[in-house]
């Protein structure tokens, strides 16, 4: 959708999400790529006028399906959320703090509401600056092949929302959590991985970290009933082990179930990539 010829950024909640439990919005950041269209042509002018700045504004838009507004009517439908002054020599991926507008939107949303933002720029035309949210051809878009299902602009803007990570998923009965009541038994230990501590925060955009978890505890806790084995093979091997037919063999507390995790990071040519990585989170531990 556009308003007065400028594309609007619509951010809906995922349609696959059920009713979302209340959660805390800690921080929200809008990322947009801003660059000079022809850097080789304007390189000399950039050096001569390196003190010049451009100003970018982010507005919240409440215009429904209206596509053209002027004067006071435009002011009624736009609310400025943040602005950013950038030196013409420091363009690239820019970050806008939109925590307030995202927090307010989340507190009042219903299933049909979208968060609609507009990015405007003062001084961009003077410098022939391209903002990816303005539409038009991004300098980095590669022509899709005939076999390509769709062409996804690597410079498209996106929103990163950081939420309180303390909420715990509802676990199955067998997914025993390690706590004071579980002494020595095989269980899942919650463990938070910080990308900053690993030194990876210079290329990973989101998340800042995640609960990877791990398994600990003892599996030799006495006889097991058949329903506690993940498969028949394990049951048969355990019976042999109990008869001392497998010398030195002991069952280990190990992951039985994993879940994936989404990662947003800088790729080649400073493009931003989102990938869903399989088996990144331990959900359930047991004695295979």
């Amino acid at each position: 959708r556009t308003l007065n010829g400028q594309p609007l950024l619509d951010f809906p909640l995922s349609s696959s999400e059920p009713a979302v439990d209340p959660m805390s919005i800690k921080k929200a950041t809008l990322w947009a790529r801003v660059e000079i269209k022809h850097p080789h042509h304007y390189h000399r002018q950039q050096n001569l006028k390196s003190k010049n700045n451009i100003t970018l504004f982010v507005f919240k838009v409440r215009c429904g399906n209206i596509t053209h507004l002027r004067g006071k009517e435009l002011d009624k439908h736009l609310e400025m959320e943040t602005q950013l002054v950038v030196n013409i020599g420091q363009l690239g991926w820019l970050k806008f703090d939109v925590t307030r507008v995202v927090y307010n939107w989340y507190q009042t949303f219903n299933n049909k509401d979208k968060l609609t933002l507009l990015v405007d720029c003062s001084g961009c035309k003077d410098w022939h600056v391209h903002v990816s949210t303005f539409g038009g051809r991004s300098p980095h878009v590669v022509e899709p092949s005939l076999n390509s299902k769709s062409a996804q602009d690597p410079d498209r803007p996106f929103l990163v929302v950081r939420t309180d990570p303390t909420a715990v998923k509802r676990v199955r009965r067998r997914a025993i959590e390690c706590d004071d009541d579980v002494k020595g038994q095989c269980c899942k230990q919650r463990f938070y991985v910080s990308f900053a501590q690993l030194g990876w925060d210079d290329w990973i955009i989101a998340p800042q970290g995640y609960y990877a978890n791990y398994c600990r505890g003892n599996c030799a806790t006495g006889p097991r009933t058949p329903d506690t084995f993940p498969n028949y093979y394990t049951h048969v091997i355990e019976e042999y082990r109990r008869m001392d037919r497998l010398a030195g063999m002991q069952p280990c507390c190990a992951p039985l179930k994993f879940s994936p995790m989404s990662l947003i990071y800088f790729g080649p040519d400073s493009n931003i990539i989102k990938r869903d990585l399989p088996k990144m989170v331990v959900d359930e531990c047991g004695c295979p």
Side-chain angles (χ1 to χ4, degrees):
R1 298 190 303 134
T2 62
L3 179 64
N4 296 344
Q6 290 182 270
L8 300 176
L9 307 180
D10 284 331
F11 296 99
L13 284 177
S14 172
S15 58
S16 62
E17 286 287 345
V20 184
D21 294 330
M23 61 184 176
S24 174
I25 304 292
K26 299 175 66 176
K27 188 174 181 62
T29 305
L30 175 68
W31 288 66
R33 193 162 187 169
V34 184
E35 293 183 298
I36 295 177
K37 286 184 179 180
H38 308 290
H40 61 282
H41 182 71
Y42 291 97
H43 182 69
R44 182 174 300 175
Q45 289 88 328
Q46 184 176 344
N47 289 336
L48 292 175
K49 301 180 181 181
S50 59
K51 294 182 179 180
N52 282 267
N53 297 327
I54 59 173
T55 304
L56 295 118
F57 304 90
V58 177
F59 295 90
K60 180 182 179 182
V61 182
R62 298 183 299 270
C63 66
N65 294 323
I66 298 172
T67 58
H68 296 281
L69 289 169
R70 291 290 184 268
K72 293 182 179 180
E73 286 297 317
L74 183 61
D75 294 337
K76 290 180 182 179
H77 289 82
L78 295 183
E79 179 182 350
M80 194 184 76
E81 295 298 333
T82 187
Q83 67 179 42
L84 184 66
V85 179
V86 186
N87 185 279
I88 197 68
Q90 298 178 329
L91 300 181
W93 280 103
L94 303 181
K95 297 187 290 183
F96 302 88
D97 186 350
V98 291
T99 305
R100 187 188 68 162
V101 64
V102 172
Y103 177 85
N104 291 336
W105 167 64
Y106 180 76
Q107 295 299 317
T108 59
F109 82 95
N110 61 49
N111 291 334
K112 296 181 180 179
D113 286 340
K114 295 180 181 179
L115 174 64
T116 302
L117 302 178
L118 170 67
V119 179
D120 198 7
C121 180
S122 175
C124 283
K125 290 183 179 179
D126 297 337
W127 284 96
H128 296 264
V129 168
H130 173 84
V131 182
S132 61
T133 57
F134 288 174
R137 185 152 190 81
S138 166
H140 301 94
V141 174
V142 179
E143 287 289 350
S145 66
L146 293 177
N147 295 326
S148 175
K149 293 183 179 179
S150 63
Q152 221 175 28
D153 185 354
D155 296 342
R156 65 194 181 280
F158 63 95
L159 187 67
V160 174
V161 181
R162 302 192 190 280
T163 60
D164 189 343
T166 57
V168 182
K169 294 180 180 179
R170 184 177 297 174
V171 295
R172 294 168 54 192
R173 181 178 59 85
R174 286 184 58 198
I176 301 174
E177 302 277 349
C178 297
D179 55 33
D180 294 337
D181 295 331
V182 180
K183 296 182 179 179
Q185 186 178 354
C186 179
C187 58
K188 182 184 75 175
Q189 177 65 55
R190 294 195 77 204
F191 179 69
Y192 185 77
V193 172
S194 167
F195 292 135
Q197 291 181 351
L198 293 174
W200 293 358
D201 54 329
D202 58 339
W203 62 277
I204 294 180
I205 297 172
Q208 293 176 312
Y210 76 106
Y211 281 94
N213 307 327
Y214 64 87
C215 301
R216 68 178 177 88
N218 186 5
C219 284
T221 56
R224 296 167 60 183
T225 58
D227 63 297
T228 63
F229 293 97
N231 50 60
Y232 293 118
Y233 168 83
T234 306
H235 190 184
V236 171
I237 295 299
E238 174 63 9
E239 290 299 313
Y240 263 84
R241 188 192 70 80
R242 289 178 56 199
M243 295 188 316
D244 293 328
R245 298 293 183 90
L246 294 171
M249 184 268 193
Q250 291 292 334
C252 298
C253 180
L256 295 181
K257 184 180 178 182
F258 294 88
S259 61
M261 184 194 73
S262 296
L263 195 69
I264 301 175
Y265 60 95
F266 286 109
D269 301 321
S270 296
N271 292 336
I272 290 180
I273 299 171
K274 176 187 176 293
R275 288 190 62 190
D276 296 324
L277 305 178
K279 295 188 176 182
M280 288 290 285
V281 179
V282 173
D283 287 333
E284 185 178 312
C285 299
C287 300

